[in-house]
Amino acid sequence: MKRSALVTAAGVALVGLLTGLVSAWWAGGHESVAAAAAARLADDVPAFFRGGGRHLAHFAVDPDRWKNRNAVFLRRCEEGNHFLDLEDLDGKQLPATNRFDAMKLVYTELKKDPNKVGLLPYSIVENYERLMVAFYDHRKMPTNESVPMAALVAGGNMAHYTGDAAMPLHTTRDYDGRNQPDGTVKQKGIHAKLDGFPEKNKITPEEICRGLEAKVIDDVWAHVNRFIAESHTHVQTCYDFDAAGAFDAPTNESRAFVLARCRAGAQLTLDLWYTAWVRSAELPAHW
């Protein structure tokens, strides 16, 4: 796979872009993962998207902006989009159809609140499909100036949720400590420690994107759910590092672990962006 011209022909400009986006991984640092993925896009992706790293980075933070406390309706709608507490599925598989079928399953069969269990895979795939549709429109209307804006918004928004999926604590009900029999919460605050780790320990977008190459995903729904399940396998590692103080006083091992999760998020983002472009050529007409 060829590397993007952003790397090969405009390396100096790219370094300036990426170094300007170093911040916390899961807050403003969603920008860093999105910018890292944009840096590795293949040459056949439209130039407006390959060159849209700053826009993609900005739109990658939108889903957190939508949780503004005064946006009462939007905040409630957005609540469950950022996580999936796998333990709360009780071994059930989420339906490969739509979020409304999932909400019915969780509410009627599991007797739980879908917004408390989480709907993360739907957030990812819905925005992937928005991007695919926008890419289709670009193929059909390459001079329409509105279409690139739609693609950048959809791609950036999707990057927020892929970043969330790479964060192990977004896959578990133990996202910020573990409840104890006496009612206390052990290791409360772990989430914030992991959130701020990349910024405090200078994990740069250049490190995140190094060597990544875009791949086409055969089955997007299955791939996204496998990714979330794999991310969940790292929950205990997060707790072990925290218990050892390795998030407060980083070790080579804890830094390598967090960098690997950042890179996993960037790889998923990159692959979904590229797959959306390739699959857009196969879409039927909208009407």
Side-chain angles (χ1 to χ4, degrees):
M1 187 66 64
K2 291 183 178 179
R3 296 187 345 182
S4 167
L6 278 172
V7 175
T8 58
V12 173
L14 176 63
V15 168
L17 163 65
L18 295 181
T19 54
L21 292 172
V22 178
S23 55
W25 186 15
W26 306 123
H30 278 285
E31 295 177 341
S32 297
V33 173
R40 302 299 302 187
L41 281 163
D43 289 343
D44 54 322
V45 175
F48 77 82
F49 203 82
R50 288 186 285 113
R54 284 195 178 276
H55 301 300
L56 290 164
H58 175 83
F59 295 133
V61 187
D62 278 351
D64 277 345
R65 297 185 179 103
W66 300 335
K67 293 186 288 184
N68 185 291
R69 70 183 63 187
N70 285 350
V72 179
F73 291 85
L74 180 59
R75 180 183 177 89
R76 175 61 176 163
C77 179
E78 188 61 25
E79 258 179 29
N81 285 341
H82 299 250
F83 63 91
L84 177 63
D85 293 348
L86 287 170
E87 304 95 335
D88 284 340
L89 291 179
D90 298 342
K92 298 278 188 181
Q93 295 295 314
L94 290 174
T97 50
N98 57 71
R99 68 169 57 224
F100 302 105
D101 289 342
M103 292 166 72
K104 181 179 179 181
L105 167 72
V106 172
Y107 186 75
T108 61
E109 293 190 34
L110 302 180
K111 310 300 182 185
K112 297 174 183 177
D113 181 350
N115 252 7
K116 301 301 182 184
V117 174
L119 295 161
L120 176 58
Y122 299 97
S123 307
I124 295 172
V125 176
E126 288 162 0
N127 281 285
Y128 156 80
E129 291 185 347
R130 289 187 180 104
L131 176 59
M132 180 174 60
V133 169
F135 277 152
Y136 169 89
D137 287 344
H138 176 69
R139 290 180 184 274
K140 299 300 181 182
M141 301 177 287
T143 61
N144 187 321
E145 295 179 353
S146 299
V147 172
M149 290 188 283
L152 290 165
V153 170
N157 290 170
M158 189 209 77
H160 182 97
Y161 302 114
T162 50
D164 282 344
M167 162 61 139
L169 299 181
H170 280 244
T171 71
T172 176
R173 61 189 172 204
D174 297 330
Y175 68 95
D176 193 33
R178 285 174 166 160
N179 293 324
Q180 303 299 298
D182 62 0
T184 62
V185 180
K186 188 176 182 180
Q187 292 180 253
K188 186 169 180 60
I190 183 176
H191 192 278
K193 293 178 187 179
L194 188 50
D195 269 0
F197 190 102
E199 179 183 13
K200 292 177 181 177
N201 297 286
K202 299 180 173 58
I203 292 179
T204 66
E206 292 93 339
E207 288 181 279
I208 296 171
C209 76
R210 192 171 297 146
L212 301 185
E213 297 292 343
K215 303 183 294 295
V216 174
I217 299 168
D218 291 331
D219 184 331
V220 167
W221 174 255
H223 185 86
V224 166
N225 280 277
R226 283 195 300 268
F227 184 94
I228 293 172
E230 195 279 334
S231 188
H232 185 73
T233 67
H234 300 290
V235 170
Q236 186 58 51
T237 302
C238 294
Y239 274 89
D240 290 344
F241 276 130
D242 181 55
F247 289 152
D248 297 305
T251 63
N252 290 338
E253 291 76 16
S254 63
R255 189 182 191 281
F257 170 74
V258 177
L259 174 59
R261 298 317 303 159
C262 291
R263 285 174 55 79
Q267 183 71 67
L268 178 62
T269 305
L270 175 62
D271 291 345
L272 286 170
W273 282 347
Y274 188 59
T275 302
W277 169 246
V278 172
R279 299 292 184 230
S280 69
E282 305 165 3
L283 285 186
H286 299 325
W287 300 279

